[in-house]
């Protein structure tokens, strides 16, 4: 089976956009691929994190992975910091990365804009991301549009290493699902739904209560007019809501348009809220069971052992080929 690697940062609560754009695909991929799904806590600290919040969110994201349907018996689920080889190979790849390559990263430009001082980790973390992927010789990496540039750097670094030291790392390919890959903000459909947004009404978290979900969707921005029609160019706001509806109901866009023809936005948004609630309630129940059971650390311990075995083998080969004395 081809190998897949992906991860999410524990820097805030996971959103409905994370579920539709990534978690649903993780659950599907685990049945057909050799999957490694990590919680990238080392990436999270590229910006300051409050220690108690980082710990809680690391546990929460792991539990949501399992609650969403990832099976630890089928996929390797682990915490990035539990596998020390990530940091070590990350440093080796930092030495292979050129300043100009990092300066071109649009995510660094966006996150550092307007700030007087920026941590070096925010600048160099694409090298660590490359190490994350190459450490397992992943064939496929699920990425959103905002991460394509980082994957291209990963491919460049893998080729650079292979040319200098011999064929060592697999050149990864992006895995971009055609449906549901990019869910936009509820208050501005030109921006991706993000857990880091300062406006809590712009996103739905996977742990939002039914009443909160209903309120957020009722207040979601819609386009002028009242026609429920999928047209991302002319009607981006309602098109985003239709996309959410389709992913939460397994109905096609055409079926949704036909169902609400002539009804306007009110009935559409009301039923959309119920669809989201129905999707998330069982996930939330499973999440609570996992947190209360105490099984989380056993899952992470077992995942770290499997990941470490694979990571150490590939790190050792890389260090030998670079000329390090390996005991």
């Amino acid at each position: 089976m081809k190998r897949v690697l992906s991860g999410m940062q524990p820097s805030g609560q996971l959103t409905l956009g994370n579920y539709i754009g990534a978690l649903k695909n993780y659950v599907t991929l685990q049945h057909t691929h050799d999957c490694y799904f990590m919680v990238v806590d080392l990436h999270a600290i590229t910006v300051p994190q409050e220690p108690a919040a980082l710990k809680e969110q690391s546990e929460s994201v792991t539990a949501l992975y399992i609650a969403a349907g990832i099976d630890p018996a089928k996929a390797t689920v682990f915490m990035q910091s539990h596998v020390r080889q990530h940091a070590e190979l990350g440093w080796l790849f930092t030495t292979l990365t050129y300043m100009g390559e990092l300066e071109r990263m649009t995510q660094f430009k966006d996150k550092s804009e307007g700030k007087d001082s920026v941590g070096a980790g925010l600048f160099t973390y694409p090298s660590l991301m490359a190490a994350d992927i190459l450490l397992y010789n992943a064939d496929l990496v699920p990425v959103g549009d905002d991460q394509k540039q980082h994957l291209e750097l990963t491919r460049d670094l893998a080729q650079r290493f292979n040319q200098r030291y011999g064929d060592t790392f697999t050149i990864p390919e992006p895995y971009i699902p055609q449906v549901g890959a990019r869910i936009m903000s509820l208050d501005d459909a030109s921006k991706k739904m993000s857990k880091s947004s300062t406006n809590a009404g712009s996103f739905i978290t996977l742990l939002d209560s039914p009443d909160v979900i209903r309120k957020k969707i009722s207040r979601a921005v819609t386009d002028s007019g009242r026609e429920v029609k999928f047209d991302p160019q002319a009607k981006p706001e309602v098109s985003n809501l239709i996309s959410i509806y389709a992913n939460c109901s397994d109905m096609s866009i055409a079926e949704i348009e036909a169902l609400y023809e002539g009804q306007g936005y009110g009935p559409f948004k009301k039923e959309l809220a119920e669809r989201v609630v129905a999707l998330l309630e069982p996930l939330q129940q499973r999440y609570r069971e996992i947190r209360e059971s105490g099984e989380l650390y056993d899952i992470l311990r077992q995942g770290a052992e499997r990941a470490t075995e694979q990571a150490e083998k590939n790190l050792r080969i890389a260090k030998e080929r670079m000329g390090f004395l390996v005991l």
Side-chain angles (χ1 to χ4, degrees):
M1 292 191 292
K2 286 193 173 183
R3 182 166 293 161
V4 170
L5 180 129
S6 192
M8 295 185 189
Q9 287 192 32
S11 54
Q13 291 194 17
L14 297 188
T15 70
L16 183 63
N18 295 130
Y19 177 79
I20 292 172
L23 281 175
K24 278 182 67 176
N25 292 308
Y26 290 2
V27 174
T28 301
L29 286 166
Q30 70 181 339
H31 299 293
T32 54
H33 293 72
D34 179 20
C35 292
Y36 286 74
F37 298 129
M38 60 181 175
V39 180
V40 287
D41 50 349
L42 295 177
H43 287 262
I45 62 169
T46 55
V47 295
Q49 301 288 336
E50 201 280 313
L54 178 62
K55 182 176 184 294
E56 165 60 26
Q57 282 303 121
S58 295
E59 293 178 351
S60 178
V61 171
T62 306
L64 285 169
Y65 277 8
I66 309 306
I70 296 174
D71 183 352
K74 288 186 169 67
T76 302
V77 177
F78 64 102
M79 195 71 55
Q80 183 187 23
S81 64
H82 291 173
V83 182
R84 61 170 177 77
Q85 290 82 359
H86 284 267
E88 189 169 352
L89 189 63
W91 169 247
L92 299 184
F93 272 105
T94 298
T95 68
L96 288 176
T97 311
Y98 302 135
M99 290 280 289
E101 291 174 317
L102 296 174
E103 288 169 345
R104 287 193 292 273
M105 295 292 120
T106 55
Q107 272 213 345
F108 172 75
K109 293 176 183 177
D110 293 342
K111 291 184 177 181
S112 62
E113 186 177 3
K115 295 182 180 178
D116 294 331
S117 59
V118 180
L122 188 62
F123 183 66
T124 61
Y125 100 88
S127 300
L128 175 59
M129 182 177 172
D132 296 335
I133 297 166
L134 301 176
L135 199 51
Y136 301 94
N137 277 324
D139 299 288
L140 298 171
V141 182
V143 291
D145 292 340
D146 55 342
Q147 292 290 346
K148 285 182 182 178
Q149 195 180 30
H150 289 163
L151 185 59
E152 283 303 315
L153 176 63
T154 300
R155 289 169 54 85
D156 290 343
L157 290 175
Q159 291 168 341
R160 188 172 302 156
F161 188 101
N162 291 347
Q163 288 168 358
R164 289 187 187 181
Y165 303 111
D167 193 17
T168 305
F169 294 111
T170 299
I171 310 300
E173 297 288 342
Y175 172 83
I176 303 174
Q178 293 183 349
V179 179
R182 193 171 178 84
I183 298 301
M184 311 309 285
S185 170
L186 297 179
D187 66 342
D188 184 353
S190 68
K191 298 177 181 177
K192 185 178 179 180
M193 184 179 284
S194 172
K195 61 182 183 287
S196 61
S197 172
T198 56
N199 177 14
S202 70
F203 57 86
I204 294 169
T205 81
L206 297 185
L207 298 177
D208 276 345
S209 69
D211 286 345
V212 169
I213 291 170
R214 293 182 183 109
K215 184 179 292 185
K216 287 182 177 180
I217 290 180
S218 71
R219 295 178 176 176
V221 174
T222 49
D223 307 280
S224 59
R226 59 191 303 275
E227 187 180 14
V228 179
K229 183 173 179 59
F230 189 82
D231 185 343
Q233 298 301 317
K235 297 171 73 72
E237 311 290 353
V238 76
S239 296
N240 183 47
L241 297 180
I242 291 173
S243 181
I244 293 172
Y245 196 122
N247 279 280
C248 292
S249 66
D250 292 327
M251 291 176 65
S252 70
I253 289 172
E255 288 171 334
I256 295 167
E257 289 177 329
L259 182 62
Y260 294 99
E261 186 176 0
Q263 293 193 50
Y265 296 150
F268 166 71
K269 290 171 75 174
K270 186 174 181 179
E271 180 59 24
L272 170 59
E274 298 310 315
R275 296 280 186 172
V276 175
V277 168
L279 174 74
L280 294 185
E281 277 189 323
L283 182 151
Q284 292 172 359
Q285 177 61 31
R286 176 68 177 129
Y287 171 84
R288 289 189 289 268
E289 292 170 357
I290 294 164
R291 294 298 300 265
E292 292 167 5
S293 70
E295 63 182 305
L296 205 60
Y297 280 79
D298 288 336
I299 290 171
L300 286 172
R301 192 174 294 109
Q302 293 166 9
E305 288 173 359
R306 292 202 299 268
T308 296
E309 182 179 359
Q310 183 67 40
E312 178 57 29
K313 180 176 68 175
N314 290 330
L315 175 64
R316 185 181 184 90
I317 292 170
K319 290 174 70 176
E320 287 175 342
R321 290 182 176 173
M322 290 181 76
F324 287 99
L325 300 180
V326 179
L327 299 177

